[in-house]
Amino acid sequence: MSDDLALLRDYARNNSEEAFATLVSRYVNLVYSVALRQVCDPHLAEEITQAVFIILARKAGSLGDKTILAGWLCRTARYASANALTIQRRRQRREQEAYMQSTLNEPETDETWTQIAPLLDAAMGQLGSKDHDAVVLRFFEGRNFKEVGAALGASEDAAKMRVGRALEKMHRYFNRRGISSTTAILAGTISANSLQVAPATLAASATAVAISKGTTASGSTLALIKGALKLMAWAKAKTAVVVSACVLAAGTTTVAVWDPENPIPAGWSVLNGDRQAWSWSRGKIHAYSASGDSILASGREYGDFTLSVIANTTNREASLAFRMQDADNGYILVYSPDGTPCPWDKGVGHLRLDKRTDGNDVTVANYHAPGFPSIGQPARIKVVARGPRFEFALNGKPVLQFEDASYPVGRIGLRNFGDTNFPSDATFSEVAFH
């Protein structure tokens, strides 16, 4: 709505409870729907909704004039939901399917919606900011292309093209996960099903607790707010700390070793959107994903290189990426320990090389042997790339070799992948490359 920011400014400057209540009533269904898709628990979705509007109340005076409030609220709801899943992921895994079935409004749900609903917000998180907001305005808010263009400061035709490109990206995302559809079906399905009606009392309760800036919120709600604000801060950060480097005696090769206190080097950034949480402490880099693919990648491209890292995960994977042209093209070395919870892996760990082309991953090499590292055990992984030849070692032992000349240069980095059913916690330490 064109007056969203005016209402927000009225609240920030004049403490207008009426203005804030209007915004909550306008967007409570949107925020509740995003949360519900993520956590599949109506009560937790209500708590997340309250947390989101408390955050909005706290940040009301700092949002920029070009903010698309609907898009901002969607992103904030995903951050809060991701944090809620971190806190309660074990319980959520057991109950997700039952809650999803109990909270759908329609007696018979469109088959496509049943497939894409658990992945929709992860797909949205892969989009750029303007593409994301265009999809929210068009399909969540039901705006026409002229209104979408006006909100984004673009023409009607430009808005139509942006929405079309965003749908194509989402189509590729779903297709990679085995969901066959068309962009037209996706558009209709999302429009028809994306908004769930929030409980009748939620708008009033969310308004009251948000206007108090959270002073009347429960301890669990305050924990959600704290975690969500951390995720938002990490996502917003545009600069990283400086990498320490030393030059070998020959003076021709630079070896970069990440500073144990500040291990993420300047210029590195997250591919596939900004919604995944990457953090560091005690000399280690931590990654958590419950919403798809995330790659912390170098700011420059490399041809020949050696990359080594100690990887550890408590549940799913801690992987490496290299010679990435972009998020959809490159190589992924997937490390999953024995005891992985993913049913399709049947608990069997592996070191697997995937080649990614136009967003589609094809496994080209795979390794597993007795004594493979188990969940919680550290594993030293080493990648050596020399021209088209790749060599991989696990705990000092050569285990895989492969040759391919498709991508001669590209970005390298750390990769994490998880979903709401099987989130992934990964830790990387002693990361070095040259």
Side-chain angles (χ1 to χ4, degrees):
M1 299 287 181
S2 59
D3 63 338
D4 283 349
L5 294 182
L7 289 168
L8 201 60
R9 299 289 182 261
D10 188 18
Y11 170 70
R13 295 167 184 167
N14 305 316
N15 201 30
S16 171
E17 296 184 8
E18 182 180 357
F20 195 86
T22 299
L23 290 173
V24 174
S25 296
R26 184 175 293 171
Y27 290 114
V28 66
N29 289 345
L30 176 67
V31 174
Y32 177 77
S33 299
V34 173
L36 185 60
R37 283 195 298 272
Q38 295 285 292
V39 302
C40 304
D41 179 338
H43 300 295
L44 185 55
E46 289 187 43
E47 189 171 18
I48 291 168
T49 301
Q50 290 187 342
V52 169
F53 284 111
I54 291 171
I55 293 171
L56 177 63
R58 292 180 179 182
K59 291 184 171 290
S62 62
L63 297 185
D65 291 338
K66 294 185 178 180
T67 300
I68 304 297
L69 189 58
W72 186 92
L73 288 168
C74 276
R75 281 186 287 271
T76 304
R78 289 202 300 273
Y79 291 131
S81 298
N83 185 58
L85 287 169
T86 302
I87 297 171
Q88 298 186 347
R89 62 182 180 272
R90 291 181 179 176
R91 179 175 64 83
Q92 295 302 102
R93 288 177 198 166
R94 296 193 301 268
E95 298 177 354
Q96 179 183 8
E97 184 175 352
Y99 273 123
M100 177 60 77
Q101 292 302 319
S102 67
T103 55
L104 293 173
N105 282 342
E106 298 296 332
E108 295 184 1
T109 305
D110 180 274
E111 182 180 355
T112 301
W113 177 246
T114 302
Q115 292 178 309
I116 71 171
L119 300 172
L120 175 59
D121 296 289
M124 294 284 291
Q126 310 301 306
L127 302 177
S129 178
K130 287 191 175 181
D131 285 356
H132 172 278
D133 291 348
V135 171
V136 170
L137 292 169
R138 176 61 177 160
F139 301 117
F140 291 20
E141 294 279 277
R143 312 278 191 91
N144 59 42
F145 287 114
K146 185 176 181 179
E147 292 171 327
V148 173
L152 297 175
S155 67
E156 182 176 351
D157 288 341
K160 188 177 297 185
M161 292 178 63
R162 182 173 292 281
V163 170
R165 287 196 302 266
L167 279 174
E168 286 291 348
K169 293 176 184 177
M170 295 172 72
H171 176 261
R172 290 197 298 270
Y173 180 92
F174 293 130
N175 189 58
R176 291 200 301 267
R177 287 149 182 82
I179 300 174
S180 299
S181 186
T182 66
T183 55
I185 291 175
L186 285 178
T189 301
I190 294 170
S191 293
N193 297 283
S194 62
L195 219 59
Q196 304 289 331
V197 177
T201 59
L202 182 55
S205 61
T207 300
V209 75
I211 287 174
S212 74
K213 304 295 178 65
T215 58
T216 61
S218 66
S220 58
T221 300
L222 293 175
L224 289 179
I225 294 168
K226 183 178 179 180
L229 288 172
K230 284 184 178 180
L231 293 181
M232 293 169 72
W234 289 329
K236 187 177 180 180
K238 298 298 183 183
T239 58
V241 295
V242 178
V243 62
S244 63
C246 62
V247 179
L248 295 179
T252 57
T253 305
T254 299
V255 178
V257 182
W258 295 0
D259 182 347
E261 296 303 318
N262 300 298
I264 300 180
W268 285 52
S269 59
V270 177
L271 295 179
N272 286 14
D274 61 0
R275 63 185 309 272
Q276 308 299 332
W278 289 87
S279 62
W280 61 93
S281 65
R282 299 179 181 179
K284 298 179 180 180
I285 299 172
H286 304 280
Y288 174 81
S289 175
S291 52
D293 192 48
S294 183
I295 301 172
L296 180 65
S298 62
R300 56 164 288 190
E301 295 186 336
Y302 294 84
D304 293 351
F305 67 89
T306 299
L307 170 65
S308 65
V309 60
I310 293 180
N312 200 339
T313 175
T314 58
N315 50 8
R316 185 163 176 169
E317 74 161 63
S319 305
L320 306 179
F322 61 96
R323 291 193 181 167
M324 301 298 297
Q325 314 299 293
D326 50 38
D328 290 332
N329 297 276
Y331 303 98
I332 307 290
L333 185 66
V334 179
Y335 165 70
S336 291
D338 272 341
T340 174
C342 303
W344 46 86
D345 292 325
K346 299 180 179 179
V348 178
H350 54 265
L351 194 67
R352 183 183 82 232
L353 178 63
D354 287 352
K355 179 180 178 181
R356 178 172 294 183
T357 305
D358 294 332
N360 296 307
D361 291 355
V362 175
T363 298
V364 295
N366 193 68
Y367 169 79
H368 180 270
F372 199 86
S374 299
I375 280 180
Q377 293 182 338
R380 181 174 289 279
I381 303 171
K382 185 177 181 180
V383 180
V384 178
R386 298 290 182 266
R389 183 175 177 82
F390 310 134
E391 298 177 352
F392 309 97
L394 178 64
N395 290 333
K397 175 185 176 182
V399 294
L400 285 176
Q401 295 181 350
F402 186 73
E403 290 194 17
D404 185 73
S406 299
Y407 306 121
V409 296
R411 299 168 69 181
I412 64 174
L414 313 178
R415 185 255 191 170
N416 195 25
F417 179 88
D419 55 36
T420 53
N421 286 311
F422 304 101
S424 184
D425 278 307
T427 302
F428 303 90
S429 58
E430 297 186 24
V431 182
F433 62 92
H434 67 267

